[in-house]
Amino acid sequence: MYQASNVYFICSFAAIGGGLFGFDISSMSGVLGTQAYKRYFNNPVSYAQGGITASMPAGSLVGSLVSSFLADKYSRKVALQISCVLWIIGSILMTAAQNVGMLCVGRVICGLCVGIASSIVPVYQSEIAPKEIRGRVVSLQQWAITWGILIQYFIQFGAAHGTGGGPSDPNQPEAAFRIPWGVQMVPAFILLVGLFFFPYSPRWLASKDRWEEAIKVLAALHGNGDVNHPKVLAQYQEIEEALRLERESAASSFKTLTEPRILKRVALGMSIQAWSQLCGMNIMMYYIVYIMEGAQIASPLATASIQYVINVALTLPAILYLDKWGRRPSLILGSFGMMTWLFISGALQQYYGRPNTEETRTPDNSDITWIVFDNKPVSSAIVACSYLFVATFATTWGPVSWTYPAEIFPSKIRAKAVSLSTASNWFWNMVLAFAVPPLLWNISYKMYYIFGAFNAAAFVHMALLAPETKGYTLEEMDEVFDSGLPAWKRYKKSSRLEELEREIEAGNLKVSYRKRILDCE
């Protein structure tokens, strides 16, 4: 059977799993402003809408926790295929939803898929890619998320305007939300089938003592099929030595997670994923229509769509340059920038807004309690802050929040540790998805100050505790984190992979290792 071997193609295709996350975000944000959705589900607001939205990240929390067991036992590739099947089942239930309960069940099942995929896609990508481009290809996960958000949003937008009198028509047909929920099955089916033609992770194969297959996959990925290529041999021996040291420790993967030297990395990975939610970005994605309504924007769906385009466009520079400018600057500067835009937006709404009373309330803004009324310059400034916030996240935290946790753990616990990190993401995603509608309803502009404060805390945390990881192999991360250097000082050491390549080229490879390579051939 044909098997893909181009690293960029493999990692890009696997990132469709991240695209499903984006589809799910827009599957809700795009329908909030349509009369068909409001009418059919009895105009859910505050806690009711929060519960509907939070059902997906609730499923994702469970999915992320079980993902490591699937990935370690059945492989990264098979775990992703299982997630695709779950997505298709969940989408069918959403499309056929007869009430809020059925809709929530469908969203929970889709959430299981997203939890598994969002945990395992970065692990698979990081174990496939060489260190020189690892940040770039793992960042494709975030770019796929932004594309999923954008594509599904415009499908929603088209369905809302093409199925009757538009989103404001009180008689708008149910197809306005059922068509997009049905269409979102397509990318999952493509990923499910395509993965049959993709390789297993070489590091997973090695962990199962399937060494011959691991060598061949490494050769296909990094040596044009040549198992004697110096880079292939060096990577292979580095993986072999790392696994040997892990097995000599005789500790279970769960016990290893609690070792102080590993626990601090687990805490860092979980914190980064938590901050990526507490920064406020996904809330801007889920509930942007409410924000635009509060700014008294005439066409909130159209104005919000610009935000999604910005998200896609400005994630690309981060993908291209993340391996040059590094992870640490992105985390620190991104937190500071997002804090700034949130404080400005909150202040504008505080000083120029007013309660949404009978005088200002219309059918299109009845689901908000605070509004900037008849002040176009301030409304425009609020929208601009929203766009700048999204631009800042897209170029910094968006890609790094997936790349960093996927690369800092040893092979033995990588899937479990990343699943814990991603579970942290989904826990806070679930809490915020449920809490933000009532927060917007009850404290309005003060919510922006809360998220601004979270970004200030993240700024300090990352400056003090997040070391740079660019340019190191996965097997060198132990040395980076155990060096004893403060996070702001870069660990300097000649790459072990480069040393191995020099030894191989000089003919100094161990005899037993050469025999294994010859046996493989």
PDB file of all heavy atoms in Angstrom, residues 199-226:
ATOM      1  N   PRO A 199       2.031   7.005   7.586  1.00  0.00           N
ATOM      2  CA  PRO A 199       2.863   6.125   8.422  1.00  0.00           C
ATOM      3  C   PRO A 199       2.514   6.229   9.892  1.00  0.00           C
ATOM      4  O   PRO A 199       1.921   7.210  10.353  1.00  0.00           O
ATOM      5  CB  PRO A 199       4.278   6.660   8.171  1.00  0.00           C
ATOM      6  CG  PRO A 199       4.074   8.122   7.893  1.00  0.00           C
ATOM      7  CD  PRO A 199       2.779   8.197   7.123  1.00  0.00           C
ATOM      8  N   TYR A 200       2.875   5.193  10.641  1.00  0.00           N
ATOM      9  CA  TYR A 200       2.822   5.267  12.091  1.00  0.00           C
ATOM     10  C   TYR A 200       3.959   6.166  12.568  1.00  0.00           C
ATOM     11  O   TYR A 200       4.969   6.348  11.876  1.00  0.00           O
ATOM     12  CB  TYR A 200       2.969   3.884  12.718  1.00  0.00           C
ATOM     13  CG  TYR A 200       1.801   2.967  12.487  1.00  0.00           C
ATOM     14  CD1 TYR A 200       1.818   2.000  11.481  1.00  0.00           C
ATOM     15  CD2 TYR A 200       0.669   3.055  13.284  1.00  0.00           C
ATOM     16  CE1 TYR A 200       0.744   1.159  11.268  1.00  0.00           C
ATOM     17  CE2 TYR A 200      -0.417   2.207  13.093  1.00  0.00           C
ATOM     18  CZ  TYR A 200      -0.379   1.271  12.076  1.00  0.00           C
ATOM     19  OH  TYR A 200      -1.448   0.445  11.874  1.00  0.00           O
ATOM     20  N   SER A 201       3.818   6.711  13.766  1.00  0.00           N
ATOM     21  CA  SER A 201       4.910   7.492  14.355  1.00  0.00           C
ATOM     22  C   SER A 201       6.112   6.581  14.588  1.00  0.00           C
ATOM     23  O   SER A 201       5.971   5.516  15.209  1.00  0.00           O
ATOM     24  CB  SER A 201       4.457   8.095  15.684  1.00  0.00           C
ATOM     25  OG  SER A 201       5.577   8.439  16.479  1.00  0.00           O
ATOM     26  N   PRO A 202       7.310   6.955  14.114  1.00  0.00           N
ATOM     27  CA  PRO A 202       8.481   6.091  14.335  1.00  0.00           C
ATOM     28  C   PRO A 202       8.803   5.909  15.807  1.00  0.00           C
ATOM     29  O   PRO A 202       9.279   4.853  16.224  1.00  0.00           O
ATOM     30  CB  PRO A 202       9.606   6.825  13.593  1.00  0.00           C
ATOM     31  CG  PRO A 202       9.128   8.238  13.450  1.00  0.00           C
ATOM     32  CD  PRO A 202       7.645   8.169  13.347  1.00  0.00           C
ATOM     33  N   ARG A 203       8.532   6.938  16.618  1.00  0.00           N
ATOM     34  CA  ARG A 203       8.809   6.816  18.050  1.00  0.00           C
ATOM     35  C   ARG A 203       7.811   5.863  18.709  1.00  0.00           C
ATOM     36  O   ARG A 203       8.158   5.167  19.662  1.00  0.00           O
ATOM     37  CB  ARG A 203       8.799   8.199  18.690  1.00  0.00           C
ATOM     38  CG  ARG A 203      10.038   9.022  18.323  1.00  0.00           C
ATOM     39  CD  ARG A 203       9.943  10.455  18.793  1.00  0.00           C
ATOM     40  NE  ARG A 203      11.207  11.166  18.645  1.00  0.00           N
ATOM     41  CZ  ARG A 203      11.612  11.751  17.528  1.00  0.00           C
ATOM     42  NH1 ARG A 203      10.850  11.712  16.439  1.00  0.00           N
ATOM     43  NH2 ARG A 203      12.779  12.373  17.464  1.00  0.00           N
ATOM     44  N   TRP A 204       6.565   5.849  18.236  1.00  0.00           N
ATOM     45  CA  TRP A 204       5.597   4.884  18.767  1.00  0.00           C
ATOM     46  C   TRP A 204       5.997   3.466  18.362  1.00  0.00           C
ATOM     47  O   TRP A 204       5.945   2.541  19.179  1.00  0.00           O
ATOM     48  CB  TRP A 204       4.184   5.191  18.258  1.00  0.00           C
ATOM     49  CG  TRP A 204       3.171   4.194  18.762  1.00  0.00           C
ATOM     50  CD1 TRP A 204       2.557   4.185  19.973  1.00  0.00           C
ATOM     51  CD2 TRP A 204       2.689   3.028  18.061  1.00  0.00           C
ATOM     52  NE1 TRP A 204       1.712   3.096  20.087  1.00  0.00           N
ATOM     53  CE2 TRP A 204       1.786   2.365  18.926  1.00  0.00           C
ATOM     54  CE3 TRP A 204       2.939   2.492  16.803  1.00  0.00           C
ATOM     55  CZ2 TRP A 204       1.123   1.200  18.562  1.00  0.00           C
ATOM     56  CZ3 TRP A 204       2.284   1.326  16.432  1.00  0.00           C
ATOM     57  CH2 TRP A 204       1.379   0.695  17.309  1.00  0.00           C
ATOM     58  N   LEU A 205       6.414   3.286  17.121  1.00  0.00           N
ATOM     59  CA  LEU A 205       6.869   1.973  16.659  1.00  0.00           C
ATOM     60  C   LEU A 205       8.047   1.485  17.503  1.00  0.00           C
ATOM     61  O   LEU A 205       8.100   0.311  17.908  1.00  0.00           O
ATOM     62  CB  LEU A 205       7.273   2.047  15.188  1.00  0.00           C
ATOM     63  CG  LEU A 205       6.137   2.229  14.171  1.00  0.00           C
ATOM     64  CD1 LEU A 205       6.708   2.547  12.796  1.00  0.00           C
ATOM     65  CD2 LEU A 205       5.262   0.979  14.106  1.00  0.00           C
ATOM     66  N   ALA A 206       8.984   2.387  17.784  1.00  0.00           N
ATOM     67  CA  ALA A 206      10.142   2.001  18.589  1.00  0.00           C
ATOM     68  C   ALA A 206       9.714   1.618  20.008  1.00  0.00           C
ATOM     69  O   ALA A 206      10.240   0.664  20.591  1.00  0.00           O
ATOM     70  CB  ALA A 206      11.146   3.152  18.634  1.00  0.00           C
ATOM     71  N   SER A 207       8.746   2.342  20.565  1.00  0.00           N
ATOM     72  CA  SER A 207       8.286   2.023  21.920  1.00  0.00           C
ATOM     73  C   SER A 207       7.632   0.652  21.991  1.00  0.00           C
ATOM     74  O   SER A 207       7.552   0.054  23.067  1.00  0.00           O
ATOM     75  CB  SER A 207       7.306   3.098  22.399  1.00  0.00           C
ATOM     76  OG  SER A 207       6.055   2.991  21.734  1.00  0.00           O
ATOM     77  N   LYS A 208       7.164   0.137  20.839  1.00  0.00           N
ATOM     78  CA  LYS A 208       6.560  -1.199  20.765  1.00  0.00           C
ATOM     79  C   LYS A 208       7.568  -2.236  20.259  1.00  0.00           C
ATOM     80  O   LYS A 208       7.189  -3.360  19.912  1.00  0.00           O
ATOM     81  CB  LYS A 208       5.330  -1.178  19.845  1.00  0.00           C
ATOM     82  CG  LYS A 208       4.220  -0.237  20.300  1.00  0.00           C
ATOM     83  CD  LYS A 208       3.674  -0.615  21.666  1.00  0.00           C
ATOM     84  CE  LYS A 208       2.571   0.300  22.118  1.00  0.00           C
ATOM     85  NZ  LYS A 208       2.078  -0.019  23.480  1.00  0.00           N
ATOM     86  N   ASP A 209       8.848  -1.845  20.194  1.00  0.00           N
ATOM     87  CA  ASP A 209       9.937  -2.711  19.720  1.00  0.00           C
ATOM     88  C   ASP A 209       9.737  -3.160  18.278  1.00  0.00           C
ATOM     89  O   ASP A 209      10.223  -4.230  17.882  1.00  0.00           O
ATOM     90  CB  ASP A 209      10.097  -3.937  20.639  1.00  0.00           C
ATOM     91  CG  ASP A 209      10.663  -3.549  21.996  1.00  0.00           C
ATOM     92  OD1 ASP A 209      11.520  -2.640  22.038  1.00  0.00           O
ATOM     93  OD2 ASP A 209      10.233  -4.126  23.012  1.00  0.00           O
ATOM     94  N   ARG A 210       9.064  -2.363  17.508  1.00  0.00           N
ATOM     95  CA  ARG A 210       8.935  -2.632  16.068  1.00  0.00           C
ATOM     96  C   ARG A 210      10.015  -1.826  15.344  1.00  0.00           C
ATOM     97  O   ARG A 210       9.756  -0.901  14.579  1.00  0.00           O
ATOM     98  CB  ARG A 210       7.520  -2.271  15.604  1.00  0.00           C
ATOM     99  CG  ARG A 210       6.462  -3.198  16.206  1.00  0.00           C
ATOM    100  CD  ARG A 210       5.055  -2.662  16.142  1.00  0.00           C
ATOM    101  NE  ARG A 210       4.553  -2.463  14.798  1.00  0.00           N
ATOM    102  CZ  ARG A 210       3.283  -2.116  14.514  1.00  0.00           C
ATOM    103  NH1 ARG A 210       2.409  -1.985  15.503  1.00  0.00           N
ATOM    104  NH2 ARG A 210       2.901  -1.930  13.264  1.00  0.00           N
ATOM    105  N   TRP A 211      11.277  -2.214  15.624  1.00  0.00           N
ATOM    106  CA  TRP A 211      12.429  -1.410  15.211  1.00  0.00           C
ATOM    107  C   TRP A 211      12.595  -1.346  13.697  1.00  0.00           C
ATOM    108  O   TRP A 211      12.948  -0.289  13.140  1.00  0.00           O
ATOM    109  CB  TRP A 211      13.697  -1.962  15.857  1.00  0.00           C
ATOM    110  CG  TRP A 211      13.706  -1.814  17.342  1.00  0.00           C
ATOM    111  CD1 TRP A 211      13.452  -2.772  18.270  1.00  0.00           C
ATOM    112  CD2 TRP A 211      13.936  -0.605  18.074  1.00  0.00           C
ATOM    113  NE1 TRP A 211      13.526  -2.250  19.538  1.00  0.00           N
ATOM    114  CE2 TRP A 211      13.827  -0.918  19.454  1.00  0.00           C
ATOM    115  CE3 TRP A 211      14.236   0.707  17.693  1.00  0.00           C
ATOM    116  CZ2 TRP A 211      14.009   0.031  20.452  1.00  0.00           C
ATOM    117  CZ3 TRP A 211      14.426   1.655  18.694  1.00  0.00           C
ATOM    118  CH2 TRP A 211      14.304   1.318  20.045  1.00  0.00           C
ATOM    119  N   GLU A 212      12.378  -2.471  13.022  1.00  0.00           N
ATOM    120  CA  GLU A 212      12.558  -2.475  11.574  1.00  0.00           C
ATOM    121  C   GLU A 212      11.600  -1.497  10.897  1.00  0.00           C
ATOM    122  O   GLU A 212      11.975  -0.757   9.989  1.00  0.00           O
ATOM    123  CB  GLU A 212      12.362  -3.893  11.007  1.00  0.00           C
ATOM    124  CG  GLU A 212      13.463  -4.873  11.379  1.00  0.00           C
ATOM    125  CD  GLU A 212      13.329  -5.376  12.814  1.00  0.00           C
ATOM    126  OE1 GLU A 212      12.270  -5.114  13.430  1.00  0.00           O
ATOM    127  OE2 GLU A 212      14.290  -5.995  13.305  1.00  0.00           O
ATOM    128  N   GLU A 213      10.323  -1.505  11.355  1.00  0.00           N
ATOM    129  CA  GLU A 213       9.354  -0.564  10.798  1.00  0.00           C
ATOM    130  C   GLU A 213       9.754   0.872  11.121  1.00  0.00           C
ATOM    131  O   GLU A 213       9.606   1.772  10.283  1.00  0.00           O
ATOM    132  CB  GLU A 213       7.958  -0.849  11.359  1.00  0.00           C
ATOM    133  CG  GLU A 213       7.351  -2.162  10.910  1.00  0.00           C
ATOM    134  CD  GLU A 213       6.010  -2.409  11.588  1.00  0.00           C
ATOM    135  OE1 GLU A 213       5.035  -1.725  11.232  1.00  0.00           O
ATOM    136  OE2 GLU A 213       5.950  -3.268  12.486  1.00  0.00           O
ATOM    137  N   ALA A 214      10.265   1.097  12.345  1.00  0.00           N
ATOM    138  CA  ALA A 214      10.668   2.444  12.743  1.00  0.00           C
ATOM    139  C   ALA A 214      11.786   2.970  11.851  1.00  0.00           C
ATOM    140  O   ALA A 214      11.774   4.134  11.427  1.00  0.00           O
ATOM    141  CB  ALA A 214      11.109   2.447  14.205  1.00  0.00           C
ATOM    142  N   ILE A 215      12.768   2.100  11.562  1.00  0.00           N
ATOM    143  CA  ILE A 215      13.882   2.503  10.698  1.00  0.00           C
ATOM    144  C   ILE A 215      13.368   2.880   9.304  1.00  0.00           C
ATOM    145  O   ILE A 215      13.765   3.894   8.716  1.00  0.00           O
ATOM    146  CB  ILE A 215      14.915   1.365  10.566  1.00  0.00           C
ATOM    147  CG1 ILE A 215      15.556   1.071  11.923  1.00  0.00           C
ATOM    148  CG2 ILE A 215      15.981   1.724   9.546  1.00  0.00           C
ATOM    149  CD1 ILE A 215      16.384  -0.191  11.944  1.00  0.00           C
ATOM    150  N   LYS A 216      12.471   2.060   8.774  1.00  0.00           N
ATOM    151  CA  LYS A 216      11.960   2.318   7.424  1.00  0.00           C
ATOM    152  C   LYS A 216      11.153   3.607   7.367  1.00  0.00           C
ATOM    153  O   LYS A 216      11.227   4.358   6.384  1.00  0.00           O
ATOM    154  CB  LYS A 216      11.115   1.126   6.961  1.00  0.00           C
ATOM    155  CG  LYS A 216      11.941  -0.122   6.687  1.00  0.00           C
ATOM    156  CD  LYS A 216      11.063  -1.312   6.295  1.00  0.00           C
ATOM    157  CE  LYS A 216      11.908  -2.552   6.032  1.00  0.00           C
ATOM    158  NZ  LYS A 216      11.089  -3.737   5.706  1.00  0.00           N
ATOM    159  N   VAL A 217      10.370   3.883   8.422  1.00  0.00           N
ATOM    160  CA  VAL A 217       9.603   5.133   8.440  1.00  0.00           C
ATOM    161  C   VAL A 217      10.556   6.324   8.521  1.00  0.00           C
ATOM    162  O   VAL A 217      10.389   7.319   7.796  1.00  0.00           O
ATOM    163  CB  VAL A 217       8.611   5.150   9.624  1.00  0.00           C
ATOM    164  CG1 VAL A 217       7.992   6.540   9.779  1.00  0.00           C
ATOM    165  CG2 VAL A 217       7.517   4.117   9.416  1.00  0.00           C
ATOM    166  N   LEU A 218      11.567   6.244   9.393  1.00  0.00           N
ATOM    167  CA  LEU A 218      12.548   7.328   9.491  1.00  0.00           C
ATOM    168  C   LEU A 218      13.267   7.539   8.160  1.00  0.00           C
ATOM    169  O   LEU A 218      13.504   8.681   7.752  1.00  0.00           O
ATOM    170  CB  LEU A 218      13.575   7.011  10.585  1.00  0.00           C
ATOM    171  CG  LEU A 218      13.110   7.168  12.034  1.00  0.00           C
ATOM    172  CD1 LEU A 218      14.148   6.594  12.993  1.00  0.00           C
ATOM    173  CD2 LEU A 218      12.849   8.635  12.368  1.00  0.00           C
ATOM    174  N   ALA A 219      13.591   6.433   7.497  1.00  0.00           N
ATOM    175  CA  ALA A 219      14.268   6.547   6.205  1.00  0.00           C
ATOM    176  C   ALA A 219      13.378   7.215   5.172  1.00  0.00           C
ATOM    177  O   ALA A 219      13.831   8.065   4.393  1.00  0.00           O
ATOM    178  CB  ALA A 219      14.691   5.158   5.720  1.00  0.00           C
ATOM    179  N   ALA A 220      12.106   6.843   5.142  1.00  0.00           N
ATOM    180  CA  ALA A 220      11.168   7.452   4.198  1.00  0.00           C
ATOM    181  C   ALA A 220      10.978   8.936   4.475  1.00  0.00           C
ATOM    182  O   ALA A 220      10.876   9.748   3.549  1.00  0.00           O
ATOM    183  CB  ALA A 220       9.824   6.728   4.253  1.00  0.00           C
ATOM    184  N   LEU A 221      10.962   9.303   5.764  1.00  0.00           N
ATOM    185  CA  LEU A 221      10.687  10.697   6.134  1.00  0.00           C
ATOM    186  C   LEU A 221      11.908  11.590   5.975  1.00  0.00           C
ATOM    187  O   LEU A 221      11.786  12.746   5.553  1.00  0.00           O
ATOM    188  CB  LEU A 221      10.214  10.766   7.594  1.00  0.00           C
ATOM    189  CG  LEU A 221       8.861  10.131   7.918  1.00  0.00           C
ATOM    190  CD1 LEU A 221       8.635  10.126   9.431  1.00  0.00           C
ATOM    191  CD2 LEU A 221       7.732  10.873   7.222  1.00  0.00           C
ATOM    192  N   HIS A 222      13.101  11.065   6.333  1.00  0.00           N
ATOM    193  CA  HIS A 222      14.264  11.942   6.455  1.00  0.00           C
ATOM    194  C   HIS A 222      15.465  11.519   5.606  1.00  0.00           C
ATOM    195  O   HIS A 222      16.480  12.221   5.620  1.00  0.00           O
ATOM    196  CB  HIS A 222      14.709  12.008   7.920  1.00  0.00           C
ATOM    197  CG  HIS A 222      13.596  12.335   8.861  1.00  0.00           C
ATOM    198  ND1 HIS A 222      12.829  13.476   8.750  1.00  0.00           N
ATOM    199  CD2 HIS A 222      13.105  11.662   9.948  1.00  0.00           C
ATOM    200  CE1 HIS A 222      11.917  13.501   9.720  1.00  0.00           C
ATOM    201  NE2 HIS A 222      12.057  12.408  10.450  1.00  0.00           N
ATOM    202  N   GLY A 223      15.371  10.379   4.907  1.00  0.00           N
ATOM    203  CA  GLY A 223      16.537   9.931   4.152  1.00  0.00           C
ATOM    204  C   GLY A 223      16.240   9.481   2.746  1.00  0.00           C
ATOM    205  O   GLY A 223      17.020   8.724   2.164  1.00  0.00           O
ATOM    206  N   ASN A 224      15.102   9.919   2.199  1.00  0.00           N
ATOM    207  CA  ASN A 224      14.704   9.508   0.835  1.00  0.00           C
ATOM    208  C   ASN A 224      14.716   7.996   0.665  1.00  0.00           C
ATOM    209  O   ASN A 224      15.088   7.469  -0.390  1.00  0.00           O
ATOM    210  CB  ASN A 224      15.631  10.148  -0.212  1.00  0.00           C
ATOM    211  CG  ASN A 224      15.479  11.653  -0.264  1.00  0.00           C
ATOM    212  OD1 ASN A 224      14.359  12.174  -0.200  1.00  0.00           O
ATOM    213  ND2 ASN A 224      16.597  12.370  -0.367  1.00  0.00           N
ATOM    214  N   GLY A 225      14.344   7.284   1.717  1.00  0.00           N
ATOM    215  CA  GLY A 225      14.264   5.824   1.665  1.00  0.00           C
ATOM    216  C   GLY A 225      15.545   5.113   2.003  1.00  0.00           C
ATOM    217  O   GLY A 225      15.576   3.876   2.066  1.00  0.00           O
ATOM    218  N   ASP A 226      16.635   5.852   2.250  1.00  0.00           N
ATOM    219  CA  ASP A 226      17.949   5.251   2.520  1.00  0.00           C
ATOM    220  C   ASP A 226      18.117   5.030   4.021  1.00  0.00           C
ATOM    221  O   ASP A 226      18.267   5.985   4.789  1.00  0.00           O
ATOM    222  CB  ASP A 226      19.046   6.183   2.002  1.00  0.00           C
ATOM    223  CG  ASP A 226      20.441   5.625   2.249  1.00  0.00           C
ATOM    224  OD1 ASP A 226      20.553   4.449   2.666  1.00  0.00           O
ATOM    225  OD2 ASP A 226      21.423   6.379   2.043  1.00  0.00           O
TER     226      ASP A 226
END
